[in-house]
Amino acid sequence: MKPSIILDEAAISRALTRIAHEIIERNKGIDQLMIVGIKTRGETLACRLARRIEEIEGKPVLLGVVDISMYRDDLSKKSLEPEIKGTDMPETVTGKIIVLVDDVLYTGRTVRAAMDALVDHGRPSMIQLAVLVDRGHRELPIRPDFIGKNVPTSREEQVVVALSEVDDADQVFIKR
């Protein structure tokens, strides 16, 4: 069965612009803000969000990257030796409002692992979650603060996010 595209390049761009405005509005500016992307596609989306916020606010926002490889609760199922991609924080997260960014929110386990990784770098004043796609089926009590698109799916379906920096195209589609 042919995958159905649910977001094209223009729709992804519009969603990120809307999320950038929502982040600025909810946090009354960007003074204490740090955008942190979850490796790999969350990192790409975080970079795009940071650029949009800088265009809107006229000043840069702190940007970090978190690698959850060692924080996963399924580590024994994945691999005996996970690929470490590296965490990069421009400064301590202590006292900052962190906007954690990922491509798809599904069970919530990736976000839980990312929060564990974040608190190893300090104590943020708040952690907010921005996702491009929320597909439901949560296993943990995690809810996004900023959502590009809600996409009800079955557990048998797969939501695939392709971004030009990683995949040579910008689109989100569902594979059955």
Side-chain angles (χ1 to χ4, degrees), residues 6-68:
I6 54 175
L7 292 172
D8 60 12
E9 183 176 359
I12 292 171
S13 180
R14 284 191 302 273
L16 291 175
T17 298
R18 180 176 37 80
I19 290 170
H21 282 282
E22 289 173 1
I23 289 169
I24 294 164
E25 185 175 329
R26 179 167 303 167
N27 294 296
K28 298 174 179 56
I30 62 170
D31 292 335
Q32 294 301 311
L33 199 66
M34 183 186 296
I35 306 293
V36 177
I38 300 173
K39 289 273 187 177
T40 292
R41 284 167 188 80
E43 175 183 10
T44 301
L45 293 169
C47 290
R48 290 183 186 188
L49 268 175
R51 279 195 307 271
R52 294 243 173 43
I53 289 170
E54 184 175 350
E55 289 168 3
I56 296 164
E57 288 292 290
K59 58 185 176 181
V61 64
L62 292 172
L63 178 63
V65 178
V66 68
D67 178 9
I68 64 162

Side-chain angles (χ1 to χ4, degrees), residues 19 22-23 26-27 33-38 42 45 49 66 97-115 118 126-134 138 140-148:
I19 290 170
E22 289 173 1
I23 289 169
R26 179 167 303 167
N27 294 296
L33 199 66
M34 183 186 296
I35 306 293
V36 177
I38 300 173
L45 293 169
L49 268 175
V66 68
I97 298 169
I98 304 297
V99 178
L100 197 56
V101 181
D102 204 7
D103 56 351
V104 178
L105 178 59
Y106 182 33
T107 62
R109 293 184 181 280
T110 297
V111 173
R112 186 219 38 93
M115 290 190 297
L118 270 176
M126 181 184 301
I127 299 174
Q128 299 170 347
L129 177 60
V131 296
L132 183 60
V133 177
D134 181 356
R138 222 71 80 237
L140 299 173
I142 290 174
R143 179 184 54 86
D145 298 281
F146 312 102
I147 305 167

